[in-house]
Amino acid sequence: MTEPMIIRARIPAPADHVRRALTDPAAMRIWLAEHVEVEVPERFGFWGRTTPEGDAPHQRLLHADERTVRFAWLLDGEETTTELTVEADGADRTILTLSQTHWDFEDVVTGKSIRGVLQTYWCQVLTNLAEHFEGRPLTPMQDYTSTEMRVEMEVGASPSEVFESITSSEAVTKWFGYLIEIEPRVGGRLAMGGFDNNPDPAKVLELEPDRKFAVDWGAAGVGTWELAGSGGKTRLTLVQSGFDEARPPFAAWGGFLSGFAELRRYLEVPDWQPVIMA
């Protein structure tokens, strides 16, 4: 078995408030899932369209104390283990560490198991938790029951600022939290990990300043950012098309959505820091 996946997130709230949100059903229905049934220690379940294999609750509580919540989660016939631990980082901020077993990058590439979505799923969820405490509108989560991949959100920045933030290598690397190099021209390359480390980069298909940016990601399809602005704000629409609908690239799409959330925070939050820590 591979080592557990570890994700660390900055949550802008005191540690006891964050810990409470991990088992409070009302809060969990905001940041985690459509449906929640939790009564510690007897019940712990969540499910719905935005939960992988969310047809029913497939979790059971293993442990809960003042710092940690650990639960088993049956996914694709395997019982995985998820653990969330809070640690105070000053009076008003918490470092939340998530540990998730039974995640393998090969499942991200092949789509063989729904467990391949877990990394980008948890990045979406933890960013939602941070936005919940910030009192911000939450970015829509991936719908695992649909092959329509489209999201619209208002961004508190002008179209030119947004366009620069999605086409500049320096800006995208900053808010996405991973090296990305872009040749901002039609036919140019977009390389996750940088040009020197990516022998099969994506290709820029369309580029209309302050209006549209489309990228061909290969098997994951074509991602298109459409911008429409007024009054210093931008209506940003992200659409994914051209993928195999029999095997939707949910892991990749989840990565786009968690990135979308961080892009909004990058442009809107004073003294911005990314939620997900490198």
mmCIF file of all heavy atoms in Angstrom, residues 211-255:
data_model
loop_
_atom_site.group_PDB
_atom_site.id
_atom_site.type_symbol
_atom_site.label_atom_id
_atom_site.label_comp_id
_atom_site.label_asym_id
_atom_site.label_seq_id
_atom_site.Cartn_x
_atom_site.Cartn_y
_atom_site.Cartn_z
ATOM 1 N N ARG A 211 -11.265 38.449 -22.565
ATOM 2 C CA ARG A 211 -12.540 37.830 -22.937
ATOM 3 C C ARG A 211 -12.528 36.299 -22.878
ATOM 4 O O ARG A 211 -13.495 35.703 -22.409
ATOM 5 C CB ARG A 211 -12.954 38.262 -24.353
ATOM 6 C CG ARG A 211 -13.299 39.734 -24.479
ATOM 7 C CD ARG A 211 -13.827 40.034 -25.865
ATOM 8 N NE ARG A 211 -14.996 39.233 -26.178
ATOM 9 C CZ ARG A 211 -15.492 39.066 -27.409
ATOM 10 N NH1 ARG A 211 -14.901 39.658 -28.444
ATOM 11 N NH2 ARG A 211 -16.564 38.346 -27.619
ATOM 12 N N LYS A 212 -11.452 35.665 -23.361
ATOM 13 C CA LYS A 212 -11.520 34.211 -23.490
ATOM 14 C C LYS A 212 -10.116 33.602 -23.495
ATOM 15 O O LYS A 212 -9.176 34.159 -24.055
ATOM 16 C CB LYS A 212 -12.251 33.844 -24.789
ATOM 17 C CG LYS A 212 -12.648 32.387 -24.908
ATOM 18 C CD LYS A 212 -13.514 32.196 -26.164
ATOM 19 C CE LYS A 212 -14.103 30.810 -26.244
ATOM 20 N NZ LYS A 212 -14.956 30.638 -27.458
ATOM 21 N N PHE A 213 -10.014 32.414 -22.861
ATOM 22 C CA PHE A 213 -8.766 31.663 -22.843
ATOM 23 C C PHE A 213 -9.135 30.183 -22.870
ATOM 24 O O PHE A 213 -9.837 29.697 -21.978
ATOM 25 C CB PHE A 213 -7.972 31.996 -21.576
ATOM 26 C CG PHE A 213 -6.634 31.318 -21.467
ATOM 27 C CD1 PHE A 213 -5.725 31.341 -22.508
ATOM 28 C CD2 PHE A 213 -6.274 30.675 -20.282
ATOM 29 C CE1 PHE A 213 -4.481 30.730 -22.389
ATOM 30 C CE2 PHE A 213 -5.038 30.072 -20.146
ATOM 31 C CZ PHE A 213 -4.136 30.096 -21.203
ATOM 32 N N ALA A 214 -8.726 29.460 -23.914
ATOM 33 C CA ALA A 214 -9.074 28.048 -24.062
ATOM 34 C C ALA A 214 -7.810 27.217 -24.224
ATOM 35 O O ALA A 214 -6.896 27.596 -24.963
ATOM 36 C CB ALA A 214 -9.997 27.834 -25.261
ATOM 37 N N VAL A 215 -7.781 26.075 -23.527
ATOM 38 C CA VAL A 215 -6.600 25.212 -23.504
ATOM 39 C C VAL A 215 -7.023 23.774 -23.790
ATOM 40 O O VAL A 215 -7.994 23.265 -23.212
ATOM 41 C CB VAL A 215 -5.903 25.283 -22.125
ATOM 42 C CG1 VAL A 215 -4.721 24.326 -22.085
ATOM 43 C CG2 VAL A 215 -5.454 26.705 -21.829
ATOM 44 N N ASP A 216 -6.285 23.111 -24.687
ATOM 45 C CA ASP A 216 -6.497 21.698 -24.985
ATOM 46 C C ASP A 216 -5.625 20.872 -24.051
ATOM 47 O O ASP A 216 -4.399 20.885 -24.157
ATOM 48 C CB ASP A 216 -6.130 21.422 -26.444
ATOM 49 C CG ASP A 216 -6.423 19.983 -26.855
ATOM 50 O OD1 ASP A 216 -6.747 19.155 -25.976
ATOM 51 O OD2 ASP A 216 -6.311 19.679 -28.063
ATOM 52 N N TRP A 217 -6.279 20.113 -23.147
ATOM 53 C CA TRP A 217 -5.560 19.316 -22.158
ATOM 54 C C TRP A 217 -5.402 17.863 -22.587
ATOM 55 O O TRP A 217 -5.001 17.016 -21.786
ATOM 56 C CB TRP A 217 -6.297 19.362 -20.821
ATOM 57 C CG TRP A 217 -6.339 20.709 -20.199
ATOM 58 C CD1 TRP A 217 -7.337 21.626 -20.277
ATOM 59 C CD2 TRP A 217 -5.320 21.306 -19.384
ATOM 60 N NE1 TRP A 217 -7.021 22.763 -19.573
ATOM 61 C CE2 TRP A 217 -5.789 22.592 -19.010
ATOM 62 C CE3 TRP A 217 -4.070 20.884 -18.928
ATOM 63 C CZ2 TRP A 217 -5.036 23.446 -18.209
ATOM 64 C CZ3 TRP A 217 -3.328 21.744 -18.129
ATOM 65 C CH2 TRP A 217 -3.804 22.997 -17.777
ATOM 66 N N GLY A 218 -5.711 17.544 -23.830
ATOM 67 C CA GLY A 218 -5.603 16.161 -24.284
ATOM 68 C C GLY A 218 -6.794 15.343 -23.828
ATOM 69 O O GLY A 218 -7.947 15.736 -24.037
ATOM 70 N N ALA A 219 -6.541 14.212 -23.160
ATOM 71 C CA ALA A 219 -7.620 13.314 -22.753
ATOM 72 C C ALA A 219 -8.595 13.983 -21.792
ATOM 73 O O ALA A 219 -9.768 13.602 -21.727
ATOM 74 C CB ALA A 219 -7.032 12.057 -22.105
ATOM 75 N N ALA A 220 -8.145 14.972 -21.044
ATOM 76 C CA ALA A 220 -9.030 15.668 -20.108
ATOM 77 C C ALA A 220 -9.956 16.656 -20.809
ATOM 78 O O ALA A 220 -10.832 17.247 -20.182
ATOM 79 C CB ALA A 220 -8.212 16.392 -19.043
ATOM 80 N N GLY A 221 -9.776 16.850 -22.123
ATOM 81 C CA GLY A 221 -10.654 17.722 -22.889
ATOM 82 C C GLY A 221 -10.132 19.148 -22.993
ATOM 83 O O GLY A 221 -8.964 19.430 -22.715
ATOM 84 N N VAL A 222 -11.010 20.024 -23.399
ATOM 85 C CA VAL A 222 -10.675 21.436 -23.595
ATOM 86 C C VAL A 222 -11.283 22.255 -22.459
ATOM 87 O O VAL A 222 -12.477 22.170 -22.182
ATOM 88 C CB VAL A 222 -11.210 21.948 -24.948
ATOM 89 C CG1 VAL A 222 -10.984 23.454 -25.077
ATOM 90 C CG2 VAL A 222 -10.540 21.199 -26.096
ATOM 91 N N GLY A 223 -10.433 23.027 -21.796
ATOM 92 C CA GLY A 223 -10.909 23.925 -20.739
ATOM 93 C C GLY A 223 -11.001 25.342 -21.274
ATOM 94 O O GLY A 223 -10.037 25.847 -21.865
ATOM 95 N N THR A 224 -12.145 25.978 -21.085
ATOM 96 C CA THR A 224 -12.363 27.321 -21.612
ATOM 97 C C THR A 224 -12.776 28.264 -20.492
ATOM 98 O O THR A 224 -13.727 27.992 -19.745
ATOM 99 C CB THR A 224 -13.464 27.312 -22.688
ATOM 100 O OG1 THR A 224 -13.093 26.407 -23.740
ATOM 101 C CG2 THR A 224 -13.648 28.711 -23.276
ATOM 102 N N TRP A 225 -12.040 29.375 -20.365
ATOM 103 C CA TRP A 225 -12.373 30.440 -19.431
ATOM 104 C C TRP A 225 -13.008 31.575 -20.237
ATOM 105 O O TRP A 225 -12.406 32.078 -21.177
ATOM 106 C CB TRP A 225 -11.120 30.978 -18.745
ATOM 107 C CG TRP A 225 -10.281 29.978 -18.016
ATOM 108 C CD1 TRP A 225 -9.440 29.051 -18.570
ATOM 109 C CD2 TRP A 225 -10.162 29.804 -16.607
ATOM 110 N NE1 TRP A 225 -8.813 28.318 -17.594
ATOM 111 C CE2 TRP A 225 -9.239 28.767 -16.378
ATOM 112 C CE3 TRP A 225 -10.750 30.454 -15.515
ATOM 113 C CZ2 TRP A 225 -8.890 28.354 -15.092
ATOM 114 C CZ3 TRP A 225 -10.405 30.033 -14.231
ATOM 115 C CH2 TRP A 225 -9.489 29.004 -14.030
ATOM 116 N N GLU A 226 -14.229 31.983 -19.884
ATOM 117 C CA GLU A 226 -14.910 33.080 -20.552
ATOM 118 C C GLU A 226 -15.130 34.198 -19.543
ATOM 119 O O GLU A 226 -15.578 33.955 -18.417
ATOM 120 C CB GLU A 226 -16.238 32.608 -21.136
ATOM 121 C CG GLU A 226 -16.076 31.516 -22.189
ATOM 122 C CD GLU A 226 -17.405 30.988 -22.697
ATOM 123 O OE1 GLU A 226 -18.441 31.289 -22.056
ATOM 124 O OE2 GLU A 226 -17.411 30.287 -23.723
ATOM 125 N N LEU A 227 -14.832 35.432 -19.932
ATOM 126 C CA LEU A 227 -14.891 36.578 -19.033
ATOM 127 C C LEU A 227 -15.877 37.614 -19.567
ATOM 128 O O LEU A 227 -15.878 37.928 -20.751
ATOM 129 C CB LEU A 227 -13.517 37.230 -18.892
ATOM 130 C CG LEU A 227 -12.366 36.432 -18.278
ATOM 131 C CD1 LEU A 227 -11.801 35.405 -19.258
ATOM 132 C CD2 LEU A 227 -11.247 37.369 -17.839
ATOM 133 N N ALA A 228 -16.698 38.142 -18.674
ATOM 134 C CA ALA A 228 -17.593 39.248 -19.018
ATOM 135 C C ALA A 228 -17.637 40.163 -17.810
ATOM 136 O O ALA A 228 -17.930 39.713 -16.693
ATOM 137 C CB ALA A 228 -18.989 38.741 -19.356
ATOM 138 N N GLY A 229 -17.325 41.448 -18.019
ATOM 139 C CA GLY A 229 -17.177 42.310 -16.860
ATOM 140 C C GLY A 229 -17.929 43.613 -16.935
ATOM 141 O O GLY A 229 -18.244 44.111 -18.018
ATOM 142 N N SER A 230 -18.199 44.167 -15.754
ATOM 143 C CA SER A 230 -18.761 45.502 -15.633
ATOM 144 C C SER A 230 -18.600 45.948 -14.191
ATOM 145 O O SER A 230 -18.593 45.121 -13.271
ATOM 146 C CB SER A 230 -20.250 45.521 -16.020
ATOM 147 O OG SER A 230 -21.005 44.725 -15.136
ATOM 148 N N GLY A 231 -18.445 47.256 -14.006
ATOM 149 C CA GLY A 231 -18.351 47.805 -12.664
ATOM 150 C C GLY A 231 -17.181 47.285 -11.866
ATOM 151 O O GLY A 231 -17.281 47.165 -10.637
ATOM 152 N N GLY A 232 -16.078 46.964 -12.535
ATOM 153 C CA GLY A 232 -14.903 46.471 -11.821
ATOM 154 C C GLY A 232 -14.995 45.034 -11.369
ATOM 155 O O GLY A 232 -14.129 44.556 -10.632
ATOM 156 N N LYS A 233 -16.038 44.315 -11.819
ATOM 157 C CA LYS A 233 -16.197 42.902 -11.479
ATOM 158 C C LYS A 233 -16.260 42.075 -12.758
ATOM 159 O O LYS A 233 -16.521 42.594 -13.839
ATOM 160 C CB LYS A 233 -17.451 42.680 -10.638
ATOM 161 C CG LYS A 233 -17.395 43.367 -9.278
ATOM 162 C CD LYS A 233 -18.612 43.031 -8.439
ATOM 163 C CE LYS A 233 -18.509 43.685 -7.066
ATOM 164 N NZ LYS A 233 -19.679 43.354 -6.208
ATOM 165 N N THR A 234 -16.032 40.782 -12.616
ATOM 166 C CA THR A 234 -15.993 39.888 -13.777
ATOM 167 C C THR A 234 -16.851 38.665 -13.520
ATOM 168 O O THR A 234 -16.743 38.031 -12.462
ATOM 169 C CB THR A 234 -14.555 39.435 -14.070
ATOM 170 O OG1 THR A 234 -13.735 40.587 -14.313
ATOM 171 C CG2 THR A 234 -14.503 38.519 -15.286
ATOM 172 N N ARG A 235 -17.700 38.346 -14.486
ATOM 173 C CA ARG A 235 -18.420 37.077 -14.465
ATOM 174 C C ARG A 235 -17.535 36.070 -15.183
ATOM 175 O O ARG A 235 -17.316 36.180 -16.398
ATOM 176 C CB ARG A 235 -19.775 37.205 -15.176
ATOM 177 C CG ARG A 235 -20.669 35.974 -14.992
ATOM 178 C CD ARG A 235 -21.144 35.873 -13.569
ATOM 179 N NE ARG A 235 -22.002 34.722 -13.338
ATOM 180 C CZ ARG A 235 -22.492 34.393 -12.152
ATOM 181 N NH1 ARG A 235 -22.201 35.122 -11.106
ATOM 182 N NH2 ARG A 235 -23.261 33.335 -12.006
ATOM 183 N N LEU A 236 -16.990 35.126 -14.440
ATOM 184 C CA LEU A 236 -16.035 34.165 -14.992
ATOM 185 C C LEU A 236 -16.710 32.810 -15.116
ATOM 186 O O LEU A 236 -17.247 32.269 -14.139
ATOM 187 C CB LEU A 236 -14.806 34.076 -14.072
ATOM 188 C CG LEU A 236 -13.667 33.158 -14.515
ATOM 189 C CD1 LEU A 236 -13.130 33.566 -15.883
ATOM 190 C CD2 LEU A 236 -12.540 33.193 -13.479
ATOM 191 N N THR A 237 -16.700 32.260 -16.322
ATOM 192 C CA THR A 237 -17.304 30.959 -16.600
ATOM 193 C C THR A 237 -16.216 29.990 -17.022
ATOM 194 O O THR A 237 -15.412 30.294 -17.902
ATOM 195 C CB THR A 237 -18.350 31.065 -17.721
ATOM 196 O OG1 THR A 237 -19.340 32.031 -17.350
ATOM 197 C CG2 THR A 237 -19.028 29.726 -17.964
ATOM 198 N N LEU A 238 -16.186 28.848 -16.391
ATOM 199 C CA LEU A 238 -15.216 27.803 -16.712
ATOM 200 C C LEU A 238 -15.971 26.580 -17.212
ATOM 201 O O LEU A 238 -16.854 26.057 -16.527
ATOM 202 C CB LEU A 238 -14.391 27.455 -15.474
ATOM 203 C CG LEU A 238 -13.381 26.309 -15.594
ATOM 204 C CD1 LEU A 238 -12.377 26.571 -16.707
ATOM 205 C CD2 LEU A 238 -12.654 26.108 -14.259
ATOM 206 N N VAL A 239 -15.636 26.150 -18.425
ATOM 207 C CA VAL A 239 -16.316 25.018 -19.060
ATOM 208 C C VAL A 239 -15.276 24.004 -19.507
ATOM 209 O O VAL A 239 -14.231 24.369 -20.055
ATOM 210 C CB VAL A 239 -17.143 25.471 -20.288
ATOM 211 C CG1 VAL A 239 -17.821 24.280 -20.947
ATOM 212 C CG2 VAL A 239 -18.161 26.526 -19.886
ATOM 213 N N GLN A 240 -15.559 22.721 -19.284
ATOM 214 C CA GLN A 240 -14.701 21.642 -19.769
ATOM 215 C C GLN A 240 -15.511 20.825 -20.775
ATOM 216 O O GLN A 240 -16.648 20.425 -20.499
ATOM 217 C CB GLN A 240 -14.250 20.751 -18.607
ATOM 218 C CG GLN A 240 -13.122 19.804 -18.947
ATOM 219 C CD GLN A 240 -11.760 20.464 -18.869
ATOM 220 O OE1 GLN A 240 -11.675 21.661 -18.609
ATOM 221 N NE2 GLN A 240 -10.710 19.711 -19.116
ATOM 222 N N SER A 241 -14.940 20.588 -21.953
ATOM 223 C CA SER A 241 -15.651 19.856 -22.998
ATOM 224 C C SER A 241 -14.669 18.954 -23.741
ATOM 225 O O SER A 241 -13.452 19.047 -23.570
ATOM 226 C CB SER A 241 -16.301 20.837 -23.993
ATOM 227 O OG SER A 241 -15.305 21.651 -24.602
ATOM 228 N N GLY A 242 -15.213 18.064 -24.578
ATOM 229 C CA GLY A 242 -14.363 17.251 -25.436
ATOM 230 C C GLY A 242 -13.713 16.069 -24.760
ATOM 231 O O GLY A 242 -12.818 15.439 -25.330
ATOM 232 N N PHE A 243 -14.179 15.693 -23.567
ATOM 233 C CA PHE A 243 -13.625 14.525 -22.883
ATOM 234 C C PHE A 243 -14.521 13.307 -23.128
ATOM 235 O O PHE A 243 -15.635 13.428 -23.634
ATOM 236 C CB PHE A 243 -13.488 14.802 -21.384
ATOM 237 C CG PHE A 243 -14.755 15.295 -20.738
ATOM 238 C CD1 PHE A 243 -15.717 14.419 -20.278
ATOM 239 C CD2 PHE A 243 -14.992 16.663 -20.595
ATOM 240 C CE1 PHE A 243 -16.893 14.871 -19.696
ATOM 241 C CE2 PHE A 243 -16.155 17.128 -20.005
ATOM 242 C CZ PHE A 243 -17.110 16.229 -19.563
ATOM 243 N N ASP A 244 -14.040 12.140 -22.743
ATOM 244 C CA ASP A 244 -14.793 10.908 -22.875
ATOM 245 C C ASP A 244 -15.846 10.861 -21.768
ATOM 246 O O ASP A 244 -15.509 10.688 -20.596
ATOM 247 C CB ASP A 244 -13.843 9.706 -22.768
ATOM 248 C CG ASP A 244 -14.561 8.363 -22.902
ATOM 249 O OD1 ASP A 244 -15.799 8.357 -23.084
ATOM 250 O OD2 ASP A 244 -13.875 7.327 -22.822
ATOM 251 N N GLU A 245 -17.111 11.028 -22.108
ATOM 252 C CA GLU A 245 -18.156 11.086 -21.101
ATOM 253 C C GLU A 245 -18.358 9.752 -20.391
ATOM 254 O O GLU A 245 -18.969 9.703 -19.324
ATOM 255 C CB GLU A 245 -19.475 11.561 -21.717
ATOM 256 C CG GLU A 245 -19.414 13.021 -22.168
ATOM 257 C CD GLU A 245 -20.767 13.598 -22.467
ATOM 258 O OE1 GLU A 245 -21.782 12.882 -22.286
ATOM 259 O OE2 GLU A 245 -20.835 14.769 -22.888
ATOM 260 N N ALA A 246 -17.854 8.666 -20.970
ATOM 261 C CA ALA A 246 -17.923 7.377 -20.288
ATOM 262 C C ALA A 246 -16.906 7.302 -19.147
ATOM 263 O O ALA A 246 -17.048 6.486 -18.234
ATOM 264 C CB ALA A 246 -17.684 6.235 -21.280
ATOM 265 N N ARG A 247 -15.880 8.153 -19.217
ATOM 266 C CA ARG A 247 -14.848 8.203 -18.170
ATOM 267 C C ARG A 247 -14.537 9.666 -17.864
ATOM 268 O O ARG A 247 -13.464 10.177 -18.228
ATOM 269 C CB ARG A 247 -13.584 7.457 -18.614
ATOM 270 C CG ARG A 247 -13.796 5.990 -18.922
ATOM 271 C CD ARG A 247 -12.526 5.369 -19.498
ATOM 272 N NE ARG A 247 -11.484 5.260 -18.498
ATOM 273 C CZ ARG A 247 -11.297 4.186 -17.745
ATOM 274 N NH1 ARG A 247 -12.085 3.134 -17.889
ATOM 275 N NH2 ARG A 247 -10.329 4.131 -16.868
ATOM 276 N N PRO A 248 -15.456 10.375 -17.247
ATOM 277 C CA PRO A 248 -15.232 11.799 -16.995
ATOM 278 C C PRO A 248 -13.962 12.028 -16.168
ATOM 279 O O PRO A 248 -13.721 11.302 -15.200
ATOM 280 C CB PRO A 248 -16.479 12.217 -16.198
ATOM 281 C CG PRO A 248 -17.504 11.178 -16.505
ATOM 282 C CD PRO A 248 -16.752 9.913 -16.706
ATOM 283 N N PRO A 249 -13.158 13.013 -16.508
ATOM 284 C CA PRO A 249 -11.911 13.281 -15.775
ATOM 285 C C PRO A 249 -12.181 14.065 -14.494
ATOM 286 O O PRO A 249 -11.760 15.214 -14.338
ATOM 287 C CB PRO A 249 -11.095 14.091 -16.783
ATOM 288 C CG PRO A 249 -12.131 14.835 -17.581
ATOM 289 C CD PRO A 249 -13.313 13.895 -17.691
ATOM 290 N N PHE A 250 -12.884 13.431 -13.554
ATOM 291 C CA PHE A 250 -13.303 14.127 -12.344
ATOM 292 C C PHE A 250 -12.118 14.643 -11.526
ATOM 293 O O PHE A 250 -12.210 15.701 -10.902
ATOM 294 C CB PHE A 250 -14.162 13.206 -11.470
ATOM 295 C CG PHE A 250 -15.547 12.963 -12.007
ATOM 296 C CD1 PHE A 250 -16.088 11.696 -12.021
ATOM 297 C CD2 PHE A 250 -16.327 14.014 -12.469
ATOM 298 C CE1 PHE A 250 -17.377 11.464 -12.496
ATOM 299 C CE2 PHE A 250 -17.616 13.802 -12.949
ATOM 300 C CZ PHE A 250 -18.134 12.518 -12.961
ATOM 301 N N ALA A 251 -11.018 13.889 -11.496
ATOM 302 C CA ALA A 251 -9.866 14.333 -10.709
ATOM 303 C C ALA A 251 -9.310 15.638 -11.266
ATOM 304 O O ALA A 251 -9.018 16.584 -10.512
ATOM 305 C CB ALA A 251 -8.792 13.258 -10.687
ATOM 306 N N ALA A 252 -9.169 15.704 -12.588
ATOM 307 C CA ALA A 252 -8.651 16.926 -13.210
ATOM 308 C C ALA A 252 -9.620 18.080 -13.011
ATOM 309 O O ALA A 252 -9.219 19.210 -12.696
ATOM 310 C CB ALA A 252 -8.404 16.692 -14.695
ATOM 311 N N TRP A 253 -10.915 17.817 -13.173
ATOM 312 C CA TRP A 253 -11.912 18.864 -13.014
ATOM 313 C C TRP A 253 -11.926 19.386 -11.579
ATOM 314 O O TRP A 253 -12.030 20.587 -11.343
ATOM 315 C CB TRP A 253 -13.271 18.331 -13.410
ATOM 316 C CG TRP A 253 -14.382 19.335 -13.359
ATOM 317 C CD1 TRP A 253 -15.483 19.288 -12.564
ATOM 318 C CD2 TRP A 253 -14.503 20.544 -14.123
ATOM 319 N NE1 TRP A 253 -16.294 20.372 -12.780
ATOM 320 C CE2 TRP A 253 -15.716 21.157 -13.739
ATOM 321 C CE3 TRP A 253 -13.712 21.148 -15.084
ATOM 322 C CZ2 TRP A 253 -16.147 22.356 -14.282
ATOM 323 C CZ3 TRP A 253 -14.144 22.346 -15.626
ATOM 324 C CH2 TRP A 253 -15.347 22.936 -15.235
ATOM 325 N N GLY A 254 -11.787 18.481 -10.618
ATOM 326 C CA GLY A 254 -11.719 18.920 -9.232
ATOM 327 C C GLY A 254 -10.537 19.837 -8.988
ATOM 328 O O GLY A 254 -10.618 20.786 -8.204
ATOM 329 N N GLY A 255 -9.416 19.556 -9.673
ATOM 330 C CA GLY A 255 -8.252 20.430 -9.566
ATOM 331 C C GLY A 255 -8.539 21.818 -10.116
ATOM 332 O O GLY A 255 -8.121 22.830 -9.533
#
